[in-house]
Structure formats: C-alpha cells, structure tokens
Amino acid sequence: MLRCHWSGHFAAVWAEREGVIHVDRFAPSPTGLLHLGHAYSALIGHAMAEAAGGRYLLRMEDLDRGRVRPEYYAAIEADLTWLGVRWHGDVLWQSQRLGLYAAALERLEAQGLVYRCACTRRDIAEAVSAPQESRSIGPDGLVYPGTCRGRALPPGPDRAHRLDMRAAVTALGGARLRRLTFTEAGPGPAGETGEIPLDLDALIEGTGDIVLARRDGTPAYHLAVVVDDAAQGITHITRGEDLFAATPIHRLLQALLGLPTPRYHHHRLIRDEAGRRLAKRDDARALATLRAEGASPDDIRRMVGLG
Ligand code: GLU
C-alpha cells in the first residue's frame, strides 16, 4: 500500500517534468524574513533556470513548528515578487506532506537501517564528554556516539529515529559506495568542483547516525529535502555553501531511497562587514527593511555583487 503510494507519486511527477531539463527550487524556512543571502540565492537560481528555459519552484520548509510564524509565508512571497523572482506553479508546504516523509522513513526501516533513540541533547553531550569517547562535530553538530544503536527500543513517545550510518553504507555495497558521487558546479567552500565522491569514513565517523525524525516525530531536514527534491522533479539545486557538507548525506539517502540526484551548485555566502554570515535575526539586512528604507531591487542586486 505504502509502496504504491510512494512510486505512484514520483512516477506522476517524472511524467509531468518530461522535456523540462532544468528545474531548480528556492526552499526557505518561514521562520524569519528573507535577507540579502536569500536574495542572492534566489536571484542566481532563478536566472539560471530562466536562461535554461526551465522552471523555478518555491518550497516552504516549514516543518519546525516551534519556529515557523504564519506571517513569514506571505512576507517571503512578497519579497521574492518584489525582487523579480517568479516561481512556477503552486507553493509547496512541507507541513502538508508528512505522509510522504513517513513513507520514506518506513522504506529505510524496512531495510533495517533505522533505530529508535531516546537520547536528549544533554545525554549526547554527556556521553561524548566521557574520556573514552571521541568528540567530533559533523554537519548536524555533535556526532552521535551511538548510545541507542543496538538497544532495540520499542516505539514510544520521545523517540527520535536515526539512520544507522555504518549499516547504510554496508547496505549500499560498502567499498563500492566509493563510486557514489554528486556533481558540484560550485566551487564548493574549499574549491570543490566536478564529480565529488562520497567519503565513507567521513560519513560513518564524521557525520554519524543522523536524525531522520525528531523526538516529537517531526521529519528531519535531510529526509524531507531529498524526498521533496525528487517529488518536485528538481534537476538543479542552487543553495549556500553552508549546505555543501550536508550534500553527501543527501546523496546517500537518495541512493537508499532510489531517488534521482540533482546537480548541485553551492554558492558563496553573503556576509556582513565583520565577515559573519547573515542570519534571520539580522533584521538590518532583511529585504523588507531595506525596501522600507527605499532600496530598489537593483540596489539589492548591487549589494550582493550582481549589479
Ligand atoms: N530550508 C533551508 C534553509 O532555509 C534550505 C534547504 C536547501 O536549500 O536544501 O536554509
């Protein structure tokens, strides 16, 4: 039943996308106002999609119910429209697609690659501070030391679901996984470009058992993003280089779920005068603030180096 829903859904999308060779998306989280960094990302992604005769889609990554604010959905659309960034079709809201992420999680569970985890942030911090544990930081922060792996916890409240990374790598053929790559148009943060091979040791040791669904049941970003990129028929992904380190996770999940892999273009981040990357709390650089102060869309282009 689930399987039918899964493949049926993607088949419909692929049929619809036939003939369109370039589909990119802008995927903001409605947890704040768009700032100059978002403008840069949307302007270049949109321009490349237009130049290729393709499509640019808008997806609200609104799974984090604690941080999402209703007013930001409209604010994001208004800012993009003002900037001249147009999107094709309806806006997709991840919060309305929970069944699809649950189906993806079930597919990974059926492969024996998922375990339940009862650890809180504090448990993890304490576990990694034990003398025998190495403490490393991965794309999602502290690398999980694997406390609940092998415990076979029964279902219950406050259980996260984690991917057993070593088992996932093994399921994909272990050493043969070295042939898994993604294409980076970049250059990435360290000048990476072309076919980037996945580094197995880095995934197992440096990334570890990532969360697929949080303790409150919310699907994690990594799972939702690969499901939706496939479901929306995305062929090209333009996003900030802060997500370069997460891309091997996405490539791995695509392989496990049998989903196609888009081409990636990770771009430089827009920084403030002190060299810090812009964050949602940087209201001074919010597009809405700049617009209210009289900036035009051309001014924004110049401010991000596109003028
Ligand atoms: N929702 C993510 C963000 O706002 C972007 C995810 C992506 O482009 O893959 O940073």
Side-chain angles (χ1 to χ4, degrees), residues 6-281:
W6 178 260
S7 49
H9 184 88
F10 291 104
V13 174
W14 289 323
E16 208 249 327
R17 146 184 144 183
E18 216 163 284
V20 178
I21 47 142
H22 189 123
V23 185
D24 198 342
R25 82 310 193 264
F26 186 55
S29 300
T31 55
L33 292 169
L34 296 187
H35 56 57
L36 287 173
H38 295 107
Y40 180 65
S41 206
L43 285 168
I44 60 174
H46 179 249
M48 286 191 286
E50 282 221 310
R55 292 178 188 163
Y56 197 61
L57 311 183
L58 178 57
R59 172 164 88 224
M60 296 292 179
E61 300 211 328
D62 59 349
L63 292 174
D64 188 347
R65 301 313 293 168
R67 293 175 56 224
V68 166
R69 296 281 172 272
E71 60 272 27
Y72 292 131
Y73 294 85
I76 288 170
E77 292 193 19
D79 282 346
L80 291 175
T81 304
W82 174 73
L83 260 187
V85 171
R86 302 278 179 272
W87 57 93
H88 179 94
D90 293 337
V91 182
L92 183 147
W93 291 21
Q94 288 192 322
S95 58
Q96 297 184 347
R97 300 160 59 77
L98 298 180
L100 205 55
Y101 314 130
L105 183 63
E106 279 197 33
R107 278 176 75 91
L108 296 172
E109 280 182 313
Q111 296 173 58
L113 305 178
V114 179
Y115 64 89
R116 293 189 193 88
C117 170
C119 294
T120 61
R121 270 176 208 275
R122 176 186 291 202
D123 295 333
I124 298 170
E126 279 173 8
V128 298
S129 65
Q132 71 278 11
E133 285 291 347
S134 59
R135 189 176 187 282
S136 53
I137 305 288
D140 291 348
L142 272 182
V143 174
Y144 183 62
T147 319
C148 290
R149 193 192 312 124
R151 282 178 72 193
L153 289 175
D158 295 333
R159 301 268 198 266
H161 285 81
R162 288 185 180 273
L163 181 71
D164 182 335
M165 189 60 86
R166 189 178 293 277
V169 164
T170 307
L172 285 171
R176 285 190 291 117
L177 185 58
R178 286 187 201 285
R179 294 202 209 116
L180 270 194
T181 60
F182 65 90
T183 306
E184 174 62 55
E192 300 89 342
T193 183
E195 290 293 298
I196 313 289
L198 298 200
D199 178 336
L200 302 189
D201 296 332
L203 276 168
I204 295 169
E205 308 296 338
T207 297
D209 295 349
I210 54 157
V211 171
L212 296 168
R214 296 201 222 154
R215 284 158 57 84
D216 64 2
T218 307
Y221 158 68
H222 301 305
L223 184 65
V225 82
V226 297
V227 167
D228 282 335
D229 285 334
Q232 292 190 285
I234 302 298
T235 60
H236 291 68
I237 292 181
T238 306
R239 63 185 181 189
E241 66 182 21
D242 52 328
L243 289 168
F244 181 82
T247 307
I249 302 173
H250 299 172
R251 181 67 188 94
L252 181 92
L253 290 174
Q254 287 154 2
L256 293 168
L257 292 167
L259 302 175
T261 304
R263 297 166 65 88
Y264 291 88
H265 173 190
H266 291 94
H267 58 72
R268 68 184 169 87
L269 300 179
I270 304 295
R271 298 181 182 276
D272 66 12
E273 301 77 28
R276 286 180 303 246
R277 57 175 285 212
L278 301 183
K280 292 255 165 63
R281 56 189 174 279

